[in-house]
Amino acid sequence: MTITIALLLAAQASAPATPVQDVAAQTQEVAQTQENGGTDDEATGRTGPAPGGEVVVTARRRAESAQRVPIAISVVGGTALAETGTYNVNRLTQIQPTLQFYSTNPRNSAANIRGLGAPFGLTNDGIEQGVGIYVDQVYYSRIASATFDFTDTDRIEVLRGPQGTLYGKNTTAGAINIITRAPSFEPEARVELTGGNYSFFQGKASVSGPLVDDKVAIRLSTSVTTRRGTVYNVRQREWQNSQDNQSFRARILWQAAPNLDLTLAGDYNRQNPNCCVQYYARVGATQRNANRQYGALAAAQNYAVPSTNPFDRLTDIDVDVRAKQELGGLSLVGNWDLGGATITSVSAWRFWHWDPSNDRDFIGLPITSASNNPSQQSQISQELRIASNGDRSLDYVAGLFYFHQKIDTQGLQIQGPAASAFLLNPTSAGGRNPATLNNLTSRNTIGFTNTSAAAFGKLTWHPTDQLSISPGLRLNYDKKSGDYVSLVTNGTNTALTGDQSGVLSPQSYAPEFDNWNLSGDLTVAYDFSRDVHGYATYARSYKSGGINLSGLPLNAAGTAVDLSVQTVDPEKVNHLELGLKTQFADRRVTANLAVFYTGIDDYQATVNNGQLAVIRGYLANAGRVRTAGAELDTAFRPTERLNAYFNAAYTDAKYVRFRNAPCPPELSGGSIATAANPASAPGRIGSTASPSFSPVVCDISGQVLPGVSKWALSFGAEYDLPVRVGDVAGQVYLGYDGSYRSRFSSSPSPSIYTYVDGYSISNFRLGFKTERDFNVFAWVRNAFDENYFELLATQSGSTGLIVGQPGDPRTYGVTLSKSF
């Protein structure tokens, strides 16, 4: 923050006469006009302005028209977020087809764009995401720290494709840029209240106004969300997968001089839901012997799940679940106008504390009685930029960035009395004795530090009024270091037996990684006319390398950990994109098209550990992946009363080369294959007399990447009619928003058992709103009560049990908002 303070002192000493506005304040006026009925065409996912209007974005660190910026970008305004019930990143996927978000709990979350961003599976502290999350220009290093409810949000910009020059090396897939409402010198207040089934309640409120004439303004915002769970635990007699979120945000704007403004912001968020549970979805055959398949193991324990239909939403897990987290921070943003250029400083400190409780065997038997990884993270960041002002033949942005992060994690895994039967051969002495694995405990102490520094710049040259050429470079340095210590004890405090160490093995290692890399991009844009704009982009980008902090596999002899896989190489990205942005019919129709090809060498993928009960795999570099496709964003306003939109994404994402991948469930669980005993046919169920054999690794080259639907659509419309209620004039409106995703693989290695079927969701709303300050509407989401899974996973130990996380059932309610 010393840089920001230095800016203040220098500006006060010599302040030019021309006033300056914060970029967020500039775009606030446009967004406010849109929300008040003028040009809100970005609402409900529409991309593009209404007739005579422009949607202004800050995607390239300056205020620009969304239609003219040569980036594939979607913008969702604050009104659209409220009316579509999009109050977090997960719900944003329903109106943004190319965005994918998967989460088994806040820590184990991943945001992907065009199928890229983060490895599919449980989180590994030692690597970073490939989709950058920014809130008011502050970088959020963990997707978990961005699982808050949107509070007092002006707009969200979703930038697709590598953004490494201006947004950093870890935006190889894209960026989500969240902009909250700026403090106002005009007094104002907003209140929004929502109630619905499942005891849903959400309250949001904000107030803003001057503190010192036209010098200092403040904005205070708060949000509360609660909802009863949608899954009933028949054993614990309680609803699970609930919501319980509270947040508070404050921003103080100081117009320190006509050419200088400073914004001090702070936020605090607390979440403590009874969450998150996955449970029985189906059973598949593995290569285990018949008496070690899930059905036989459950029968031997006289156990049956409450229902084999997952959409009955019943579970009987025997461990309390908890997903408690606290997150927040402080930031100071300064903008100093020098006339020809503006200097911007962004100083920030953030924290994230995670306190979970999970049942990772997913059923009501005491197999894994605890699998928790409480974690505490803190980060500091400093960015300093200079950007040219005004229209000129040569525009530029240049800057420096520094980031430091520290994470401390305390892992705990405890096996229960049923673990012996499920994880060992039930016919062996160890497998017949519940005491063999009962109370086998692994306590893990994990430390991690991450330091990154960068210098970056981007030029835009306008050789003619229609043509612009924009090269960009970013030089980046990363250093990561960690330590992983796993202490394993048994229930008798004696030396570990072979059965016990085969399930949980003591480990201790201290990985380190450091690397320099250079990212670059080149965009050529051409304005064919006032309403037709084209661009072509090539980008060479990097996602930082990392270190494995979830335990390592044993060596071939099974005597020690394999230290050769303790680090992960950076991903190297080559990206090509062509885009065309058009408007016609007096700007009543907007149609934007982008086609892209992205190839990644050394793709960071999840690989299974051969140990039976290890919950988490480790990370390794796949040879090469690629994603290619096309995106169409359209908006229509045939009349002043009707708005409609249709967005489509076709994404073909595949492993080009991955020869040492983990094997899918149908090929796992058998004895190690040899030349004399080759791997069994997929899905064969073995027997004690004739054991099945599994390959050590599988070649999945040519198969699809996990989590990516080949087709994803969002579409909708809103129609309104003018009415008068007494002396109040307003509009009655009817809105519809729909989305569709085709089937996708829910496993790093595609499996016949873990494909999620395609599904569609329909949402309706009917309401009344006045021109500026009042809105009330009834809504129903997932109106046709579509049964679908958000993701599927496998139980540890290759038993064949597939567990799932169903999406929300039909919900309905009423929302009322009022501005003052």
Side-chain angles (χ1 to χ4, degrees), residues 554-589:
L554 299 181
N555 58 21
T559 57
V561 294
D562 184 358
L563 296 179
S564 67
V565 295
Q566 62 182 321
T567 61
V568 183
D569 292 336
E571 292 183 351
K572 306 171 188 69
V573 181
N574 285 286
H575 173 79
L576 291 169
E577 183 166 332
L578 297 174
L580 186 65
K581 297 186 174 186
T582 68
Q583 291 180 292
F584 50 92
D586 194 23
R587 292 192 171 183
R588 293 184 179 276
V589 179

Side-chain angles (χ1 to χ4, degrees), residues 1-5 7 22-23 61 134-140 166 251 261-265 330-336 343-350 379-386 399-403 456:
M1 296 185 184
T2 55
I3 293 178
T4 303
I5 295 171
L7 287 177
D22 182 90
V23 169
R61 305 302 197 186
Y134 289 81
V135 180
D136 293 331
Q137 304 187 66
V138 176
Y139 175 58
Y140 283 37
L166 295 180
R251 296 182 72 187
D261 62 74
L262 295 172
T263 301
L264 176 65
L330 298 170
S331 66
L332 184 61
V333 178
N335 294 287
W336 180 19
I343 294 178
T344 298
S345 172
V346 183
S347 310
W349 164 79
R350 296 204 60 78
Q379 68 173 67
I380 58 171
S381 60
Q382 174 65 58
E383 185 169 1
L384 185 65
R385 298 193 307 269
I386 183 169
L400 300 170
F401 179 77
Y402 174 80
F403 172 82
F456 59 90

Side-chain angles (χ1 to χ4, degrees), residues 177-196:
N177 197 20
I178 300 172
I179 299 96
T180 66
R181 291 188 175 95
S184 169
F185 286 101
E186 293 294 328
E188 65 173 59
R190 300 167 183 255
V191 176
E192 179 185 301
L193 300 174
T194 300

Side-chain angles (χ1 to χ4, degrees), residues 344-603:
T344 298
S345 172
V346 183
S347 310
W349 164 79
R350 296 204 60 78
F351 73 91
W352 175 64
H353 295 164
W354 170 239
D355 181 16
S357 178
N358 305 300
D359 189 332
R360 285 295 179 185
D361 58 52
F362 310 112
I363 58 176
L365 290 176
I367 302 169
T368 301
S369 352
S371 176
N372 309 322
N373 283 270
S375 187
Q376 303 83 42
Q377 173 194 304
S378 62
Q379 68 173 67
I380 58 171
S381 60
Q382 174 65 58
E383 185 169 1
L384 185 65
R385 298 193 307 269
I386 183 169
S388 59
N389 292 333
D391 295 327
R392 58 185 68 216
S393 61
L394 188 66
D395 297 323
Y396 62 87
V397 177
L400 300 170
F401 179 77
Y402 174 80
F403 172 82
H404 182 75
Q405 174 190 36
K406 182 178 180 181
I407 303 176
D408 291 307
T409 301
Q410 307 82 43
L412 175 67
Q413 184 170 330
I414 303 174
Q415 303 304 134
S420 298
F422 266 71
L423 302 177
L424 304 176
N425 190 331
T427 63
S428 68
R432 291 194 302 269
N433 184 3
T436 305
L437 298 183
N438 189 28
N439 288 325
L440 183 67
T441 301
S442 173
R443 289 182 172 85
N444 307 328
T445 303
I446 307 169
F448 175 67
T449 58
N450 177 15
T451 301
S452 181
F456 59 90
K458 193 172 186 69
L459 296 174
T460 301
W461 175 41
H462 304 274
T464 71
D465 290 340
Q466 291 79 34
L467 177 66
S468 66
I469 302 172
S470 303
L473 286 174
R474 188 181 190 101
L475 178 64
N476 206 89
Y477 173 73
D478 293 294
K479 180 177 177 58
K480 295 180 171 70
S481 59
D483 54 85
Y484 182 94
V485 178
S486 176
L487 176 64
V488 180
T489 58
N490 56 29
T492 58
N493 292 318
T494 58
L496 298 180
T497 67
D499 283 338
Q500 292 168 344
S501 60
V503 171
L504 294 175
S505 62
Q507 296 192 17
S508 178
Y509 61 98
E512 291 190 352
F513 171 89
D514 68 282
N515 177 253
W516 288 91
N517 61 68
L518 183 67
S519 297
D521 56 44
L522 176 66
T523 297
V524 178
Y526 191 81
D527 298 332
F528 296 96
S529 69
R530 184 185 73 141
D531 294 328
V532 180
H533 316 280
Y535 67 90
T537 295
Y538 168 75
R540 170 73 168 178
S541 191
Y542 289 82
K543 179 182 171 186
S544 174
I547 56 180
N548 270 305
L549 287 177
S550 292
L552 297 177
L554 299 181
N555 58 21
T559 57
V561 294
D562 184 358
L563 296 179
S564 67
V565 295
Q566 62 182 321
T567 61
V568 183
D569 292 336
E571 292 183 351
K572 306 171 188 69
V573 181
N574 285 286
H575 173 79
L576 291 169
E577 183 166 332
L578 297 174
L580 186 65
K581 297 186 174 186
T582 68
Q583 291 180 292
F584 50 92
D586 194 23
R587 292 192 171 183
R588 293 184 179 276
V589 179
T590 298
N592 298 336
L593 176 68
V595 294
F596 61 90
Y597 176 92
T598 305
I600 300 182
D601 291 306
D602 292 326
Y603 176 76

Side-chain angles (χ1 to χ4, degrees), residues 758-778:
Y759 60 89
S760 60
I761 297 173
S762 292
N763 306 324
F764 295 90
R765 61 186 178 277
L766 175 64
F768 169 79
K769 59 185 172 184
T770 61
E771 198 66 27
R772 295 185 62 86
D773 59 4
F774 179 78
N775 189 5
V776 59
F777 60 94

Side-chain angles (χ1 to χ4, degrees), residues 633-718:
D633 298 328
T634 65
F636 311 92
R637 180 172 282 182
T639 73
E640 292 301 315
R641 297 297 169 202
L642 177 64
N643 289 302
Y645 68 97
F646 176 81
N647 302 326
Y650 172 81
T651 309
D652 185 19
K654 291 183 178 180
Y655 297 103
V656 176
R657 185 174 64 255
F658 194 5
R659 299 192 176 100
N660 62 333
C663 292
E666 54 267 36
L667 286 177
S668 301
S671 301
I672 300 300
T674 64
N677 296 300
S680 305
R684 173 188 170 189
I685 300 176
S687 68
T688 54
S690 178
S692 299
F693 295 91
S694 296
V696 177
V697 295
C698 286
D699 184 351
I700 60 171
S701 304
Q703 299 196 43
V704 298
L705 289 179
V708 190
S709 295
K710 185 160 286 190
W711 286 100
L713 312 173
S714 66
F715 40 87
E718 182 176 297

